[in-house]
């Protein structure tokens, strides 16, 4: 769809003119308009022309957009007084541009008959949008914020702890409440009773504040953020917040708001938070801009109930200001062909799926973030060894014309018993716990830039399948398409959804050298690693071997299985390698990994006797620590597990890997000793509004209550 741009002017009661640019679609598909508000002191163009790309893309999809200059900015009248930028930012964060935004909304209603508004903006524009929506909520359909700011630019006047510090300390005290040693330290004066009492008091204030009974000022916060946030929740105005992973604003927001105010939940009543991996504050790279625009349009389309006429398509990264729009036109209107080129196909047999091997690999190679547990070979191996009589493939292939652009690798687990319901799982999940593969970071697979179009088509396919009652997936990252896109849309279509945190992803951002990595560890842990290595060297005949040929693989796998079983036997458990199916699967998969140079299987031996083993999967820029085993009973003095793990990290650094991924762990894992960054991981479930779905939801609720009760009893 074509678009045009016009100068927008509206005069306030002060006689001063506010100006901007309205980008108008050739054919409007809504009675709403988007208002992009100034990013701090930047004008209507936005940083790196972000606002221009955003507005033209939305207009090409039928939504008018105003890029506004507030008083004193760009082409608008007025001037800012002389002051440090921090002082100006603080005024903006406190609502300086709210009146200008309300004037702009009135002007859009008078000139273009806009009845509803999506208020949007980056940084200062985000808080302006939220504050305006809280004061003019009758006309605001939603708030869309980028790199939102919940702290004041200047330091707060008080030195209290932040919410997250209080919550974190309180959880630590609760865990220690039945610890004899903890109480002993208090009575001996080794722990600060004053600090404990202070934390308990602050936690009580926090609880009262959440209940709306008191108002507490926490360190460096913007008090208007929280009051306006609650106002939007009470008025049922949805808010979409998009952050950049490498932005200090996200770090502050996560600590102050997500962890301290929202109990760590990225989705909740009236809000939804997404984080774009690796992006900076202004989303200046083309790929980051594309993701931001796609996430924004998908959310706006849902809020405004826009017709599904256009697929969200973005450019492939040339960096020119018109790329987003031209990409959409090229895909959706090229040669007069309508947008109905998007289609899907459901694969129900392994023989049919094998025909798409090369195309699957091509899609996997072009996605933004890959996972070895979403690869074609992993899926094929898992299905070969784990598919039961009640498992039926339902792999959804998504096409643009004749080109495969996305895959939903799922299967249907039909009911065997009366209390079971037909459930969709990702391939690699759904097996019994005692022999589960623990496939993590799985997701819908999509070519970069086509994620939203793929998810939309997957949703159409799922809604067209009437044979399932529940969809379940676990160990998902917060930026997965399932969490970001699929759940909200299925919920909008009348289904019930739930998600819970299952643990943390632990991974090390690897430096250039081993010595640099060691220097970043605590002195105590660094000493332990060096001591373990020194003791191994003193043994004389200790060495680490790496599997490099197919002939070496069987013996190394057998050593891994035996050492893993020996380690778990100390806990009175058999270990997963005792499962014949689990062992067969890994014997098969490691052969594929070895042939493609993606297997990292190492064995530590002393006098030819294996005493430790470590199994890594190598994929792209990441080395995944998958499994291990060690003979602690006989060789504990050498700390063989620590030796193997440190050697694996060092080898990953030497081979130029960017990340060493420990995969999922608990909140208090040994993995934190290795200098890891953490990301939450989630399990999700979708229940269809049918008899089976309602039954599954009731069973899930009962299990949650029993689990919570067991946790309290424990």
């Amino acid at each position: 769809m074509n678009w045009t741009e016009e100068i927008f002017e509206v005069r306030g009661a002060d006689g001063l003119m506010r100006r901007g640019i309205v980008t108008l679609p050739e054919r409007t598909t809504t009675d709403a308009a988007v208002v992009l508000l100034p990013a701090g002191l930047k004008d209507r163009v936005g940083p790196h022309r972000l606002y221009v790309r955003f507005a033209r893309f939305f207009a090409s999809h039928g939504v008018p957009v105003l890029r506004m200059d507030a008083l004193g900015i760009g082409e608008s009248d007025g001037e800012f007084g002389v002051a440090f930028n921090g002082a100006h930012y603080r005024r903006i964060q406190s609502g300086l541009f709210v009146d200008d935004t309300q004037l702009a909304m009135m002007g859009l209603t008078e000139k273009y008959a806009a009845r509803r508004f999506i208020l949007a903006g980056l940084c200062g524009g985000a808080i302006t949008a939220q504050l305006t929506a809280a004061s003019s909520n009758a006309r605001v359909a939603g708030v869309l914020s980028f790199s939102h700011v919940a702290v004041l630019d200047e330091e707060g006047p008080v030195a209290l702890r932040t919410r997250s510090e209080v919550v974190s300390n309180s959880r630590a005290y609760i865990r220690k409440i039945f610890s004899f040693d903890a109480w002993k330290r208090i009575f001996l004066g080794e722990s600060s009773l004053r600090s404990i009492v202070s934390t308990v008091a602050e936690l009580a204030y926090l609880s009262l504040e959440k209940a709306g009974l008191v108002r507490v000022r926490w360190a460096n916060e913007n008090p208007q953020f929280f009051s306006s946030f609650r106002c939007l929740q009470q008025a049922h105005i949805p808010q979409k917040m998009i952050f950049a992973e490498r932005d200090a604003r996200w770090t502050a927001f996560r600590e102050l708001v997500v962890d301290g105010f929202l109990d760590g939940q990225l989705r909740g009543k009236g809000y939804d938070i997404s984080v774009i991996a690796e992006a900076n504050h202004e989303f200046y790279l083309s790929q980051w801009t594309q993701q931001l625009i796609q996430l924004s349009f998908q959310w706006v389309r849902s809020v405004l109930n826009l017709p599904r006429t256009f697929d969200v398509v973005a450019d492939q990264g040339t960096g020119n200001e018109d790329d987003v729009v031209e990409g959409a036109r090229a895909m959706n209107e090229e040669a007069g062909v309508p947008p109905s080129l998007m289609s899907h196909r459901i694969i129900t047999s392994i023989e049919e799926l094998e025909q798409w091997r090369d195309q699957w690999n091509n899609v996997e190679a072009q996605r933004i973030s890959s996972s070895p547990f979403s690869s074609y070979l992993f899926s094929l191996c898992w299905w070969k060894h784990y598919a039961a009589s009640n498992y039926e493939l339902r792999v959804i292939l998504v096409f643009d014309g004749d080109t495969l652009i996305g895959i939903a690798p799922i299967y249907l687990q039909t009911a065997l018993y009366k209390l079971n319901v037909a459930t969709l799982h990702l391939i690699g999940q759904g097996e019994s716990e005692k022999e589960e593969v623990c496939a993590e970071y799985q997701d819908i697979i999509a070519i970069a830039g086509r994620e939203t179009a793929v998810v939309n088509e997957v949703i159409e396919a799922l809604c067209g399948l009437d044979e399932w009652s529940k969809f379940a997936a676990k160990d998902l990252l917060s930026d997965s398409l399932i969490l970001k896109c699929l759940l909200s849309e299925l919920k909008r279509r009348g289904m019930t959804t739930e998600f819970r945190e299952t643990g943390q992803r632990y991974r090390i951002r690897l430096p250039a050298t081993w010595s640099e990595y060691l220097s970043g560890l605590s002195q105590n842990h660094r000493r332990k690693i060096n001591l373990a290595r020194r003791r191994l060297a003193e043994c004389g005949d200790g060495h680490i071997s790496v599997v490099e040929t197919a002939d070496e693989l069987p013996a190394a796998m057998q050593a891994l299985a035996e050492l893993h079983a020996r380690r778990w036997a100390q806990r009175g458990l058999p270990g997963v390698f005792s499962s014949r199916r689990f062992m067969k699967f890994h014997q098969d998969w490691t052969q594929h990994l070895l042939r493609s140079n993606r297997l990292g299987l190492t064995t530590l031996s002393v006098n030819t006797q294996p005493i430790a083993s470590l199994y890594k999967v190598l994929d792209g820029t990441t080395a995944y620590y998958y499994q291990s085993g060690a003979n602690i009973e006989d060789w504990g003095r050498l700390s063989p597990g620590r030796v193997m793990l440190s050697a694996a990290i060092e080898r990953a650094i030497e081979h130029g890997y960017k990340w060493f991924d420990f995969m999922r762990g608990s909140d208090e894992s040994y993995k934190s000793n290795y200098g890891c960054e953490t990301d939450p991981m989630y399990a999700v479930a979708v229940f269809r509004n049918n008899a089976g779905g309602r039954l599954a939801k009731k069973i899930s609720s009962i299990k949650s209550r029993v689990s919570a009760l067991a946790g309290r009893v424990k």
Side-chain angles (χ1 to χ4, degrees):
M1 184 188 297
N2 293 325
W3 45 263
T4 58
E5 291 184 332
E6 298 179 0
I7 296 173
F8 174 86
E9 294 183 330
V10 60
R11 191 180 301 276
D14 53 11
L16 300 177
M17 191 74 76
R18 285 79 170 166
R19 297 182 176 89
I21 296 293
V22 177
T23 308
L24 299 169
E26 179 183 39
R27 183 177 70 257
T28 302
T29 60
T30 178
D31 62 351
V34 177
V35 181
L36 283 172
L37 300 166
L41 300 175
K42 293 182 172 63
D43 65 16
R44 64 190 178 278
V45 174
H48 308 283
R49 302 188 68 80
L50 172 64
Y51 283 10
V52 175
R53 299 184 189 190
F54 181 103
R56 293 177 179 177
F57 178 83
F58 268 64
S60 74
H61 289 73
V63 182
V65 179
L66 166 63
R67 296 184 280 118
M68 173 191 163
D69 285 338
L71 280 183
I73 294 178
E75 298 298 325
S76 291
D77 294 346
E79 293 182 359
F80 278 96
V82 178
F84 290 111
N85 280 347
H88 292 315
Y89 293 151
R90 189 182 181 92
R91 291 172 62 205
I92 293 170
Q93 293 156 3
S94 300
L96 176 65
F97 295 149
V98 168
D99 290 344
D100 288 0
T101 307
Q102 292 172 337
L103 270 175
M105 293 162 63
M106 292 173 57
L108 287 170
T109 299
E110 293 174 1
K111 297 180 181 180
Y112 303 103
R115 298 173 57 191
R116 298 180 294 159
F117 299 93
I118 298 289
L119 302 182
L122 173 78
C123 194
I127 188 63
T128 298
Q130 181 172 309
L131 295 176
T132 305
S135 61
S136 309
N137 52 48
R139 294 181 292 167
V140 178
V143 174
L144 178 61
S145 59
F146 319 132
S147 300
H148 209 336
V149 53
V151 295
L152 294 169
D153 221 76
E154 298 175 357
E155 292 185 0
V158 293
L160 295 177
R161 283 180 283 190
T162 62
R163 286 180 172 83
S164 59
E165 289 175 317
V166 174
V167 173
S168 177
N169 290 346
S170 301
R171 288 172 178 169
Y173 293 147
I174 290 171
R175 286 194 296 268
K176 296 175 181 178
I177 196 168
F178 296 113
S179 168
F180 174 79
D181 290 335
W183 285 102
K184 179 180 176 182
R185 286 193 296 272
I186 291 175
F187 286 118
L188 292 177
E190 296 174 358
S191 294
S192 172
L193 184 61
R194 181 178 180 180
S195 177
I196 295 172
V197 172
S198 174
T199 296
V200 172
E202 288 169 338
L203 182 64
Y205 276 118
L206 180 58
S207 301
L208 291 172
E209 184 188 34
K210 286 188 176 182
L213 301 177
V214 299
R215 177 74 187 112
V216 182
R217 178 68 185 275
W218 302 89
N220 201 36
E221 73 170 37
N222 182 351
Q224 293 192 55
F225 170 88
F226 296 96
S227 59
S228 59
F229 187 92
R230 287 198 195 92
C231 182
L232 296 190
Q233 289 182 309
Q234 293 167 0
H236 303 290
I237 297 176
Q239 185 168 13
K240 176 70 176 179
M241 292 175 273
I242 302 174
F243 288 92
E245 183 185 28
R246 299 302 172 199
D247 182 13
R249 295 289 190 184
W250 165 236
T251 303
F253 190 92
R254 181 174 55 189
E255 177 189 278
L256 183 63
V257 181
V258 178
D259 293 340
F261 187 67
L262 302 176
D263 295 324
Q265 303 301 311
L266 295 180
R267 289 164 187 79
K269 180 183 177 182
Y271 73 91
D272 181 272
I273 299 172
S274 297
V275 182
I276 295 180
E278 304 295 331
N280 75 335
H281 177 69
E282 297 176 340
F283 306 92
Y284 80 93
L285 286 185
S286 180
Q287 66 193 59
W288 300 334
T289 301
Q290 292 169 35
Q291 292 178 65
L292 181 143
I293 292 174
Q294 289 164 4
L295 287 169
S296 301
F297 185 77
Q298 182 206 15
W299 180 80
V300 169
R301 181 164 58 185
S302 174
V303 169
L304 299 181
N305 293 315
L306 298 180
R308 192 172 179 271
T309 307
F310 306 97
D311 293 307
V312 179
V313 183
D315 69 287
Q316 298 303 308
T318 61
N320 296 323
E321 66 180 67
D322 293 333
D323 283 342
V324 173
V325 174
E326 291 305 323
R329 292 173 181 163
M331 289 294 183
N332 290 339
E333 300 176 357
E334 185 176 33
V337 179
S340 59
L341 285 174
M342 293 296 299
S343 62
H344 65 265
R345 177 176 180 177
I346 299 177
I347 304 298
T348 58
S349 71
I350 196 65
E351 293 77 19
E352 187 180 8
L353 184 63
E354 288 174 344
Q355 300 174 18
W356 295 96
R357 171 175 179 160
D358 293 341
Q359 292 91 329
W360 183 319
N361 290 336
N362 180 57
V363 173
E364 182 75 23
Q366 296 184 64
R367 66 187 297 198
I368 290 177
S369 59
S370 63
S371 165
F373 307 104
S374 294
S375 68
Y376 173 84
L377 282 176
F378 173 86
S379 302
L380 186 69
C381 287
W382 189 92
W383 189 258
K384 173 183 174 182
H385 294 284
Y386 280 92
S389 59
N390 64 321
Y391 289 12
E392 301 174 10
L393 281 178
R394 293 294 184 271
V395 178
I396 302 171
L397 304 183
V398 177
F399 298 87
D400 183 359
D402 295 328
T403 304
L404 181 68
I405 64 169
I407 306 152
I410 58 179
Y411 72 96
L412 178 69
Q413 191 178 70
T414 58
L416 289 177
Y417 310 104
K418 289 185 178 180
L419 289 181
N420 286 8
V421 297
T423 303
L424 291 173
H425 293 280
L426 295 170
I427 296 177
Q429 300 184 12
E431 69 274 60
S432 65
E433 185 177 356
K434 66 181 181 181
E435 57 184 9
E436 65 179 348
V437 171
C438 295
E440 299 177 7
Y441 316 146
Q442 293 186 293
D443 199 6
I444 296 170
I445 308 166
I447 288 177
R450 306 305 309 277
E451 291 88 352
T452 305
V454 169
V455 172
N456 288 340
E457 201 62 37
V458 168
I459 289 169
E460 296 302 317
L462 291 176
C463 292
L465 282 173
D466 58 4
E467 53 195 345
W468 64 278
S469 297
K470 176 183 177 181
F471 169 78
K474 61 182 181 179
D475 295 332
L476 306 175
L477 294 172
S478 58
D479 62 352
S480 69
L481 295 177
I482 293 174
L483 266 177
K484 290 194 303 183
C485 307
L486 190 72
L487 255 63
S488 58
E489 180 60 22
L490 291 178
K491 184 176 182 179
R492 194 179 70 83
R493 298 194 181 205
M495 303 182 197
T496 303
T497 63
E498 63 180 32
F499 69 98
R500 58 183 174 82
E501 190 171 323
T502 56
Q504 298 287 331
R505 174 195 204 177
Y506 287 83
R507 60 175 180 168
I508 305 168
R509 186 187 297 272
L510 298 174
T513 65
W514 170 248
S515 59
E516 185 180 350
Y517 168 71
L518 272 183
S519 66
L521 301 180
S522 69
Q523 182 179 358
N524 181 49
H525 196 61
R526 187 165 60 244
R527 181 187 61 80
K528 288 180 179 180
I529 290 175
N530 290 331
L531 178 61
R533 290 184 160 202
R534 188 165 60 251
R535 285 177 174 172
L536 177 65
E538 291 169 355
C539 284
D541 194 23
H543 66 280
I544 296 175
S545 57
V546 181
V547 171
E548 295 179 341
T549 68
D551 293 338
E552 298 168 341
L553 183 57
M557 283 297 296
Q558 187 61 37
L560 171 65
E562 292 175 357
L563 290 165
H564 182 270
R566 186 159 188 163
R567 182 73 169 128
W568 279 86
Q570 293 182 317
R571 309 179 192 179
L573 298 171
V576 287
F577 282 100
S578 62
S579 162
R580 185 172 179 273
R581 186 180 304 187
F582 184 89
M583 185 67 176
K584 288 285 187 182
F585 164 79
H586 282 286
Q587 287 173 338
D588 192 3
W589 192 37
T590 51
Q591 291 181 28
H592 291 296
L593 292 173
L594 182 62
R595 284 196 289 268
S596 58
N597 293 319
R598 293 190 294 136
L599 177 65
L601 182 56
T602 54
T603 306
L604 170 62
S605 301
V606 175
N607 298 326
T608 72
Q609 179 185 349
I611 67 169
S613 180
L614 192 143
Y615 174 5
K616 300 195 305 290
V617 179
L618 310 174
D619 188 72
T621 61
T622 304
Y624 296 88
Y625 171 24
Y626 180 78
Q627 196 53 271
S628 65
N631 182 352
I632 303 298
E633 186 177 4
D634 297 330
W635 298 92
R637 181 178 177 276
L638 295 182
S639 301
R642 185 173 289 117
V643 170
M644 285 297 285
L645 187 48
S646 63
I649 296 170
E650 183 176 14
R651 185 176 178 84
I653 292 173
E654 291 174 349
H655 285 76
Y657 286 95
K658 181 179 178 181
W659 300 97
F660 187 91
D661 198 324
F662 283 86
M663 304 177 63
R664 179 168 57 86
S666 61
D667 288 340
E668 294 186 352
S669 173
Y670 73 93
K671 300 171 183 179
S672 60
N673 294 326
Y674 286 86
C676 294
E677 299 178 8
T678 60
D679 299 289
M681 298 175 66
Y682 300 92
V684 304
V686 178
F687 305 95
R688 210 162 192 171
N689 190 21
N690 57 24
R694 290 189 289 272
L695 173 62
K697 176 59 179 172
K698 289 181 179 179
I699 293 173
S700 176
S701 298
I702 292 171
K703 287 181 177 179
S704 297
R705 291 170 187 167
V706 170
S707 177
L709 179 61
R712 287 197 293 270
V713 171
K714 183 177 179 180

